[in-house]
Structure formats: C-alpha cells, structure tokens
Amino acid sequence: MKLLRKDIEKDNAGQVTLVPEEPEDMWHTYNLVQVGDSLRASTIRKVQTESATGSVGSSRVRTTLTLCVEAVDFDSQACQLRVKGTNLQENEYVKMGAYHTIELEPNRQFTLAKKQWDSVVLERIEQACDPAWSADVAAVVMQEGLAHVCLVTPSMTLTRAKVEVTIPRKRRGHCGQHDRALERFYDQVVQAIQRHVHFDVVKCVLVASPGFVREQFCDYMFQQAVKTDNKVLLENRAKFLQVHASSGHKYSLKEALCDPAVASRLADTRAAGEVKALDDFYKMLQHEPDRACYGLRHVEKANEALAIDTLLISDELFRHQDVAARSRYVRLVDSVRESAGTVRIFSSLHVSGEQLSQLTGLAAVLRFPVPELSDQEDSSSEED
C-alpha cells in the first residue's frame, strides 16, 4: 500500500489518499472503510444517451465519484472489494443521492474521509504502508491425496491451491497403481508450489503432514529437480522446513506454525507472533486459569485493575456496525497500551484469528489474578 496524502486535523477528522498495490492491500482497505465514511475513487458507470433521432443507446464511461458508504463487501478468495453508497457530489453522469457501487482496484488510488480517525485505523495504515509487512511464509499442508498450498501473510492465510488425487490402496504384489497415483499427486503439488510461491520474497516454505508423507514428498521433489535441472527449487532447498501436522486440511497449519523449529525460523514475522500469543493464552488457561480471561465483560474488568499483560483482539470487532460498540473496543486497546500492556490485533482471515473468534474475538493474558473475575464466574454459575 502506498500513502500519497494524509490530511488529519486535531479533532481526528480528515482524509487520506492511498494506492493499493497488492491483493492483501484490498484486505487492509476493507478494514479501513466503514459505513458512514466518504470514499472518492474512479469507477465505471453505465449511462444512457439519446440521439437527435430519438433512439436510445447505452455506453460505459469512466468517471470519479464520491460516495457516502452504506455497505462494504470483500471477496477473500479473489481479493476484490466493492463499496456501495449514495453519490455526494453531482457530475454529468450521476445525480446527487443516486446509488452506485465502486469496485476498488489495485494500482488505482482512492481518497477516504472520516469524521473520526481512531488509533486502530491509523495503525493499520502504518502497517499496510510498511514494505516489511509482506507474505514471507509459504506452507504446504498435506496428507496422501490431499494438499493445500498456502501463503501466510501478516494478515491472512491465503489458500492458493488445493490438490486432490485419489490414491488407490496398496495390494500385495500390486503396488503399481498406488505408486503411479502418488507420483501424479506429488507432481501436481510441485507445480502448485512453483506457480504460487515467490522465492524472492518467501523466507520459509513449511511442508507439514502426518507420518512420513512430508519426507517422501520432499525426497521426490528434489530428485525430480535434479533430473530436470530445476534451478529455482535447488537454489531454495534450504528454505524448505519439514514439520508435523495432523492432517492435510488448512486448519492443521496452526499446529505447524506452533512448532518450536518453525517459531525460531519465523521469529521476525507477525504471523508467528500471533500464533505464539494465542498458544501462550491457551497454556495460561490450562495451567494458571486465574491469569487468563476472555469475553468483553471479563477483559474490561481486568483492564480496570490494570492487570492485562497481553490483549488478543480480532480485527472483526473493529468492523462492528454499531459506532458505540466499535469505539468501546478502540478505547480498550488504547487503555491497555497506556498501562504498558501489549496489544495483538488478529486478522479474522488468519488461522489464529479464526480460533480467537471462537473465544468471542477477545482474550487477555494477565499479569496477576483478578479476584473480581472469579467472583463474577461464581455468581453467573449460581444464577444458572
């Protein structure tokens, strides 16, 4: 994401002009644009024209519109963002108050104006415009006959390819069909890796599986790379890291990211930081339950006691349609930071964010136990 202009007043009202450059930037934009904002961007409008003879025709013209945002729709697979609203500035093609949908596109600038720019939104702009925040982890989660090739960006887990091949069972004296199907499966996974993994950006490629599937796959891949003189794979061999996962499904990626060997390799990436924070929370919940809590009421109570060491919050909560509810979460984040706590904002499109959403999207690791929290739990269980 490129920041072209930033005009924000002391009362936090103002506008910014941005250019999304990568597919992930559309996800950042989705988290920036909220109902009630003003969005100005170039768009295509279908207009009707009437000739001197009275015949009516239609044509598509490119024009620039300013919309009052009423709805935002994001397609996570195609990384496309559509913003629907009413026109605020009349032009020759669109009347004031007319509805229109703008599809924001990569490499085409837009200007976003808000009455109130809060700290969470401004932080997201900083992160989106920082070139260090890029997709530097790739992962192949696999089992016999099923594989997912994913890119793990700081904000999203993008499934770039799903490979499914039916593998016949081995039969005594008749292993040929099984072996040929397995080779066909491995070949398709290798092709998916070459198509979707950019080795000039990616620091590490995780190959995760149950059993010995990952070892057999890597041996086959590099044997073929030697035979075909595939320099890209051979030069980047050191980037491949084999780890255990319970299955070839996407949700098993969290297990791979929690592996200590992976954590040490990815120490500088935010994706590993989020997974570690969630893992620390679960460990605390298991071993010292008095120092872990989740849910808005309990987390706010812990914050009042200045007890929060690490706050885990899903970015989904900042997209709340209710302005008062959204402001409540922003105030919580600001308050935790003021009391020297760490705030981890999880992406709801990341595997760790999906898990946090199952815990209401809000959790905290505490510096010390807060007695009032256990009292609240006791009273609520008595009411039940």
Side-chain angles (χ1 to χ4, degrees):
M1 187 91 82
K2 188 183 289 182
L3 178 64
L4 298 184
R5 190 169 180 179
K6 183 178 177 183
D7 298 314
I8 296 177
E9 305 297 331
K10 289 181 180 178
D11 61 355
N12 287 331
Q15 63 183 34
V16 296
T17 301
L18 298 161
V19 180
E21 297 176 307
E22 300 171 7
E24 190 185 354
D25 291 339
M26 305 312 294
W27 169 249
H28 288 301
T29 306
Y30 173 55
N31 283 278
L32 294 175
V33 180
Q34 294 164 344
V35 173
D37 291 349
S38 167
L39 178 76
R40 183 173 177 80
S42 175
T43 185
I44 300 290
R45 180 77 173 184
K46 188 176 181 180
V47 296
Q48 287 190 333
T49 55
E50 188 174 342
S51 68
T53 60
S55 60
V56 177
S58 65
S59 61
R60 294 164 66 84
V61 296
R62 181 166 287 281
T63 184
T64 300
L65 295 181
T66 303
L67 301 184
C68 177
V69 178
E70 291 192 7
V72 187
D73 178 52
F74 180 68
D75 182 344
S76 60
Q77 294 303 313
C79 285
Q80 290 181 332
L81 183 64
R82 296 178 185 86
V83 181
K84 179 185 177 184
T86 52
N87 186 28
L88 291 174
Q89 295 179 6
E90 188 169 356
N91 69 12
E92 59 179 310
Y93 303 114
V94 187
K95 294 179 181 178
M96 282 274 288
Y99 276 93
H100 185 78
T101 299
I102 292 178
E103 187 171 306
L104 293 177
E105 304 168 1
N107 300 309
R108 199 176 288 278
Q109 74 177 52
F110 66 89
T111 299
L112 181 65
K114 290 178 180 285
K115 294 175 183 175
Q116 180 75 27
W117 287 87
D118 60 53
S119 59
V120 173
V121 176
L122 291 172
E123 182 184 30
R124 183 171 282 274
I125 290 176
E126 275 184 45
Q127 292 172 355
C129 296
D130 183 352
W133 291 65
S134 56
D136 48 10
V137 183
V140 182
V141 192
M142 64 193 308
Q143 64 191 47
E144 275 200 4
L146 175 67
H148 287 81
V149 178
C150 305
L151 293 179
V152 185
T153 74
S155 301
M156 303 164 68
T157 304
L158 295 167
T159 303
R160 281 301 183 214
K162 181 181 180 181
V163 180
E164 282 186 287
V165 173
T166 303
I167 310 290
R169 290 185 178 180
K170 281 185 179 180
R171 293 178 182 175
R172 187 176 296 175
H174 298 282
C175 296
Q177 275 190 314
H178 173 274
D179 293 344
R180 283 194 296 274
L182 203 57
E183 284 189 11
R184 191 166 69 252
F185 169 61
Y186 288 162
D187 281 334
Q188 289 184 27
V189 177
V190 172
Q191 288 169 18
I193 290 172
Q194 291 179 298
R195 192 178 305 119
H196 298 291
V197 177
H198 302 292
F199 287 100
D200 51 343
V201 176
V202 167
K203 290 180 185 174
C204 176
V205 182
L206 306 179
V207 182
S209 77
F212 297 100
V213 177
R214 56 188 179 275
E215 287 94 338
Q216 292 166 358
F217 168 70
C218 287
D219 288 345
Y220 176 84
M221 177 171 59
F222 290 115
Q223 283 170 13
Q224 293 300 311
V226 171
K227 285 181 185 177
T228 59
D229 194 27
N230 189 323
K231 292 181 180 178
V232 174
L233 286 177
L234 293 173
E235 287 172 2
N236 290 280
R237 186 169 187 163
K239 292 183 179 180
F240 284 82
L241 183 62
Q242 298 176 29
V243 291
H244 172 77
S246 59
S247 77
H249 294 280
K250 180 184 168 184
Y251 62 77
S252 298
L253 182 56
K254 180 185 176 292
E255 301 168 28
L257 291 170
C258 283
D259 189 289
V262 176
S264 63
R265 180 80 75 94
L266 309 180
D268 297 331
T269 71
R270 179 185 164 205
E274 286 182 347
V275 172
K276 183 180 183 302
L278 191 61
D279 198 39
D280 289 345
F281 170 79
Y282 279 122
K283 285 178 182 174
M284 191 67 76
L285 196 61
Q286 185 178 3
H287 300 297
E288 293 185 67
D290 290 345
R291 288 185 54 205
C293 64
Y294 60 90
L296 182 58
R297 191 161 59 95
H298 282 189
V299 171
E300 282 186 329
K301 200 73 180 174
N303 184 51
E304 287 171 16
L306 304 179
I308 296 180
D309 183 45
T310 305
L311 178 71
L312 289 65
I313 184 166
S314 170
D315 61 10
E316 199 170 23
L317 300 178
F318 300 116
R319 295 196 297 275
H320 206 292
Q321 295 296 318
D322 182 2
V323 176
R326 193 165 67 233
S327 300
R328 191 173 174 184
Y329 293 120
V330 172
R331 285 198 303 272
L332 177 63
V333 166
D334 291 342
S335 178
V336 170
R337 284 176 172 153
E338 284 170 11
S339 59
T342 301
V343 175
R344 290 271 183 190
I345 299 177
F346 285 62
S347 168
S348 55
L349 281 193
H350 195 280
V351 283
S352 55
E354 290 170 4
Q355 285 214 316
L356 182 62
S357 294
Q358 295 170 9
L359 293 170
T360 74
L362 188 64
V365 175
L366 309 183
R367 298 183 177 108
F368 50 83
V370 179
E372 290 90 336
L373 295 184
S374 54
D375 293 344
Q376 282 184 5
E377 286 171 5
D378 293 340
S379 62
S380 61
S381 60
E382 285 171 13
E383 288 170 8
D384 295 340

